[in-house]
Structure formats: C-alpha cells, structure tokens
C-alpha cells in the first residue's frame, strides 16, 4: 500500500511555478535529485497552459518597473505585500528575457522587432507581452521541453494529499502522494518541498480554472497549521461563457479584449446597464463590472440560462471575426454567434489572491517548505492585474528553485518523518472506502450554489453566516459518504471525494475571512460595509487552524516602499 521514495527536492505541481522551480534548482546545483509530482500530465494540466492574454512586464522605454509596481499596488487596493510586489515587477523583466532567449518562447513583435505589449485593464501602460491569445501554450510547451531534457524525475498523475513534517515538528520531511493510475500511496521524503499546486477557486458555480485544481495545496497547509493570508480575495472575471448546465464550457473565459474593443453588456431586457453605473461603462474594472452584472442577475433581469448578454455585432461582424477568431470559434462551438448575434455570459471565479504566507525568497514558516505561484499569498493583495498571474508563477517559481538549492546546501539532510502523522494521513485519505452510500454529485452542486449565492460576488454578514452553516452541513454529509467502487486504480470518484474535501475546507476559510473583513476592497465587496476603510491603516487577514479550530486575525499592512497618497512616479519626477 505504501511505497517510499527519496529525493532532494520535491516539487508539487507542474504549472509555471513548478516547472521554473525545477529548471532553476537544477541549474543552481545539477547534482541535486529533483522530483516533480503533478496531479495531471506534465505540460498538459494547470492554468499556466490556459493563459490567453499575456504576461505583464515593463520593457518599453516609456514604461518603468516603478509604474508597473504602482499599478500593482493600486490595483491591489494597497493590500499587497510590497516587497513581494516589487520583486515581481523587477524580476519579470529578467524572466521574460529568459523565456525568449533560453527557454525558446517566441512572443508577438512590433514592426521594429521589439516585443508587442497589449493593453490590459487597470494598467497605465500597454505592457502585456503575448503570443496571440495562446500565450500559456507557448510558455508551457517550451518549458516542458526544457524540463524533459533534464534529469528530473516525473511523477505524473500523482496527487499530493498531505505535507508530512519531521518527527520533531521543526521542518518538513516530505509529502504523501496517491499514484492515481494504480491507487498506490507513495511517501516521498525530501530535503525541500515546493507547494505549487496553483490554488484555483473551483468551488464556485461558474469558474475558469482547470479541473485538476481543487485547492489541495492550501488545504494541506491549513492542516499543518500554517498561516494563510487574504483568503477572502477571490477574483471574478465578468465574461464567463454561459452555455447551459451540462457543459464544461460554461464558466470558461471570453477574453477581456471583447469589452476593451467596445463590446456591450445587455441584460435580459436588452438594456445596456453599465452606461449608467460608470463613465467607463463596460471598460470599468473586472470587480466592478462583475458586481453590476450580479446585481442585474439578482434582480431577475436575465437571459434564458440566467445570465446576461455580450453584443459585439455593432463593431462589424467581419472585424469581430478577424480580431477575435479564437473567441468566435469558442462561442460557435457552444451554439452562439459572437460576431453577429448575442452570447450569454456570467461573472466567473477566475483567480485566488489568497494563499500561504511566505518571504520574498519563497520560504515559509516551516523550514524546508517553500511556496510559489497561485498558492502563495500577498503578491496581489485585493486584486490581481490581468497579466500579473503568469508573471508571478514564473518569477517566483525560478526564485524557489534557487532558494531550495541554496537552502539544502546550508541546512540540508533528510529528516525522519513523523510516522504517526503519516499513518493518520493515510487513514484520512482512505476514509471514503470505509463509508457506504452518499451522493457526491449532489454535494458538489450544493457547494457550488452556496459559494455562488452566499460567499460570491456580493457578500454580507447574514449571507456569510448562512453560507458557513451550509458548508458545515456539506462537510458533515461528505464525511459520512462513501464510494460505490472499492477499486483504487483510476478511481475518479475517490478523487472527486478528495477534491470536494479540499474545496469545502478552503471554502470555510474564504467565508470566515470574508466575515472578518468589514470593508470592501477590490474583489471583496460587503454590501453591509461598502466603504473601503482608511487606506493608511489597512489590514490583511491571516487565517490559521489551531487544534482543528479556525482562527482569523487582522494584521497591519507594512508600507515598506510607498504609502497611500504617495507614488513612486511622483517621487521619480521630483
Ligand atoms: C482561463 C485562464 C486564463 C488566464 N489568463 C491569464 C493571463 O492572460 N495572464 C496571466 O497573467 N494570468 C492568467 N491566468 C492566471 C494564470 O494562469 C495563473 O495565475 C498561473 O498560471 C498559475 O500558475 P501556477 O504554476 O501557480 O499554477 P498552475 O499553472 O495552475 O499549475 C498547478 C499545478 O498543480 C497541480 N496540482 C494541483 N493539485 C495538486 C495536487 N494535489 N498534487 C499534485 N499536483 C497538484 C496541477 O495539476 C498543475 O500541474 C489565467 C487563468 C485562467 C484559468
């Protein structure tokens, strides 16, 4: 039942963060034994591959890292960890050059040969570098080729279920995995472990991230009693496709460029509702447009499937077909004519700003455990700029690789695992085999509804309390539910059960953190506390589980680089 492996560095996840970490760790010390374990197939899973729009980087002489930094801080409503945000914008320059010159990516160019930067919402400069609207495929394909060319062990279709500490509890000892193909457990002992499982708010009725993401990383960190920050911050993208309940295409993103190019949002009665709410109309920020859409839907002014419409035809169907080829084809696959007709859309959960607290070098409170990418908290604060997500995973993945190699050189050695904890985690993962009956599909549907209705785009105390109560009930029912099939090889119902457990555990933290934050910042909107509060005394939430009970506190944001009311751009001009 349990096989044991030993490696120097264990990387959990193979998105931009995991793959960059593997490359940089190998480069830092080729003698290190490196293992990448991933729930899907290497290069084919996770959200980095799904990146459409592009990668934010200040390359143009008219732009600057200071400008990119200020956009990130102001977009994050003054909640980002400023050193993390600074390192993101500064290192993005180096990382994009590495992607092109060493990894082999080729991004779109201007006629003079410089990299083309497109416009993205919330930014004061057109700095989003891209490969058409398939940027993620270019990045991940090239990265995957580089990782395959190195002596890196690959554990594909291996799901991490627990981080296992050392016997003395003072550092990490490794991680427990399930080989999804055989159902066998593997304990991988490692000197350093990187958590790069990519967050992913897939507990909402409408969501964009890849199906392999179910917040496993944050659920594992929570169980180790590690601190998570900004857990109330879930980003909704306004234009998720609404193609009916029985297709996975529902929730997938129709790119922001549609609104940017002049697309109109209409309610079920055909009215253009954004014009009266914001001078920028449909071009207002993602969070605001999502909120206005949710209000229309709540008032019942909806389309046949319960959403709203996007209309592009007034821009000229030929132009739309030419400029948004991929989007036109995606809509046609679902029976919609984007160029000449109306397409049903709905706000969709897109990105998770919350995550495990870490230092700029990606180290966490637990020695030997590192975190990078969407699992890490603090970089984006209350909102992530489109284009800063893939920059975050590749910048910090690379840093994690270097840090882990250096950490092993200084603190190395494999630690003996806490065998009691390993035994308990083995039992925990097999719990559903000891239960009978239950209806996982109904439980998943309930979870999607609770999060959408009570912990979603618009929140208030009564709804959040109601949501927490329902989440407790779903969890209790899940823990009493079993599996119809006792075979462990490729038992996808078992993995659905485990997915649901992680999602419910993290959902409870989202709801509790949202209840704690009594103001509205960025992606978090409280109808009962609509003001943003005093920026100068901004706080961020820190959630930690202790002895099974969740504790949430607020900590002051440290304005180490710039204070509210100041700007690095003004300082540079003086
Ligand atoms: C449709 C879409 C479009 C996007 N467009 C953009 C964009 O234009 N620009 C931008 O900056 N950002 C964009 N993003 C966000 C961006 O994709 C992510 O922020 C970023 O790629 C996350 O990288 P990551 O390495 O942290 O995680 P991912 O790339 O998601 O990788 C996570 C990895 O962890 C693995 N994993 C999960 N659970 C486990 C487990 N239990 N055990 C082992 N492995 C596990 C997964 O299989 C996967 O390999 C987009 C996201 C989506 C969904």
């Amino acid at each position: 039942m349990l096989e044991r492996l030993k490696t120097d560095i264990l990387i959990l996840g193979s998105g931009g963060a995991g793959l960059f970490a593997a490359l940089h760790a190998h480069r830092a010390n080729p003698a290190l034994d490196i293992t990448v374990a991933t729930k899907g197939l290497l290069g084919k899973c996770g959200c980095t591959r799904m990146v459409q729009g592009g990668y934010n980087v200040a390359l143009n002489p008219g732009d600057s890292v200071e400008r990119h930094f200020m956009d990130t801080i102001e977009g994050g409503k003054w909640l980002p960890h400023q050193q993390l945000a600074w390192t993101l914008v500064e290192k993005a320059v180096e990382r994009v050059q590495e992607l092109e010159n060493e990894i082999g990516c080729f991004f779109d160019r201007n006629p003079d040969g410089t990299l083309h930067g497109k416009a993205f919402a919330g930014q004061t400069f057109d700095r989003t570098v891209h490969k058409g609207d398939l940027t993620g495929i270019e990045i991940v394909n090239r990265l995957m080729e580089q990782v395959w060319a190195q002596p890196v062990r690959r554990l594909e279709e291996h799901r991490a279920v627990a981080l296992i500490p050392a016997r003395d509890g003072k550092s990490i000892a490794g991680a427990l995995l399930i080989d999804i193909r055989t159902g066998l457990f593997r304990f991988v002992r490692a000197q350093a472990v990187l958590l790069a499982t990519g967050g992913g708010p897939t507990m909402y009725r409408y969501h964009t991230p890849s199906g392999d993401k179910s917040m496993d990383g944050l659920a594992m960190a929570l169980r180790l009693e590690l601190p998570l920050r900004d857990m109330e911050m879930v980003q909704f993208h306004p234009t998720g496709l609404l193609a009916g309940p029985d297709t996975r295409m529902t929730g997938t993103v129709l790119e922001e460029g549609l609104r940017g190019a002049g697309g109109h949002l209409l309610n079920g009665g055909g009215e253009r509702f954004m014009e009266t709410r914001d001078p920028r109309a449909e071009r207002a920020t993602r969070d605001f447009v999502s909120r206005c859409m949710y209000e229309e839907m709540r008032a019942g002014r909806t389309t046949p499937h319960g959403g709203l419409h996007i209309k592009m035809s007034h821009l000229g169907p030929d132009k739309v077909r030419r400029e948004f080829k991929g989007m036109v084809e995606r809509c046609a696959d679902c029976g919609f004519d984007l160029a000449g007709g109306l397409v049903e859309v709905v706000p969709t959960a897109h990105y998770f700003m919350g995550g495990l607290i870490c230092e700029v070098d990606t180290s966490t409170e637990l020695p030997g455990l590192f975190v990078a990418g969407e699992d890490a908290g603090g970089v984006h604060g209350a909102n992530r700029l489109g284009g800063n997500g893939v920059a975050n995973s590749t910048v910090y993945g690379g840093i994690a690789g270097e840090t882990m190699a250096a950490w092993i050189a200084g603190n190395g050695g494999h630690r003996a695992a806490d065998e009691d904890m390993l035994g308990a985690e083995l039992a925990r993962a097999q719990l559903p085999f000891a239960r009978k009956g239950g209806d996982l599909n109904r439980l998943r549907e309930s979870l999607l509804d609770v999060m959408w209705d009570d912990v979603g785009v618009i929140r208030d105390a009564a709804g959040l309390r109601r949501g927490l109560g329902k989440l407790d009930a779903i969890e209790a029912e899940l823990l009493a539910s079993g599996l119809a099939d006792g075979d462990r090889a490729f038992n996808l119902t078992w993995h659905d059960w485990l997915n649901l457990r992680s999602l419910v555990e993290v959902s409870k933290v989202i709801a509790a953190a949202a209840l704690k934050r009594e103001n509205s910042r960025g992606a978090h909107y409280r109808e009962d506390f609509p003001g943003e509060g005093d920026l100068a005394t901004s706080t961020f939430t820190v959630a930690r589980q202790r002895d099974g009970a969740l504790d949430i506190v607020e900590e002051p944001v440290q304005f180490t680089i710039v204070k509210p009311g100041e700007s690095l751009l003004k300082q540079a001009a003086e």
Side-chain angles (χ1 to χ4, degrees), residues 495-545:
H495 291 281
D496 280 348
W497 192 100
L498 294 167
N499 287 346
L500 262 178
R501 187 158 191 193
S502 296
L503 287 173
V504 172
E505 283 170 351
V506 176
S507 295
K508 287 168 62 171
V509 186
I510 296 175
L515 196 55
K516 185 80 180 177
R517 175 174 288 287
E518 295 188 331
N519 58 36
S520 295
R521 288 278 178 106
H524 168 76
Y525 185 78
R526 286 275 303 256
E527 214 160 24
D528 47 351
F529 294 98
E532 65 180 4
D534 177 30
L535 292 182
T537 54
S538 294
T539 56
F540 62 96
T541 59
V542 178
R544 195 194 282 265
Q545 197 161 279

Side-chain angles (χ1 to χ4, degrees), residues 233-304:
M233 298 300 177
V234 182
Q235 181 172 72
F236 287 84
H237 193 294
T239 50
L241 190 58
L242 185 57
D246 299 321
T247 164
R248 180 57 188 97
M249 292 307 287
T250 283
T252 58
V253 162
L254 293 184
E255 73 150 289
E256 195 151 274
L258 297 177
R259 286 185 294 121
H264 291 170
L265 290 169
L266 309 177
N267 63 22
E271 290 158 343
R272 199 175 155 213
F273 55 90
M274 282 307 301
E275 269 182 325
T276 52
R277 287 182 158 103
D278 191 291
R280 293 164 296 178
E282 285 82 0
R283 290 181 188 165
T285 54
R286 282 180 183 178
D287 53 333
F288 186 70
V289 178
S290 296
R291 230 159 40 232
C292 295
M293 292 174 74
Y294 190 85
E295 280 168 3
E296 288 297 305
M297 291 163 62
R298 198 169 55 173
R301 295 187 281 270
T302 58
T303 56

Side-chain angles (χ1 to χ4, degrees), residues 31-44:
L32 287 173
D33 185 86
I34 300 169
T35 301
V36 176
T38 184
K39 205 169 170 184
L41 295 172
L42 199 79
K44 299 283 187 290

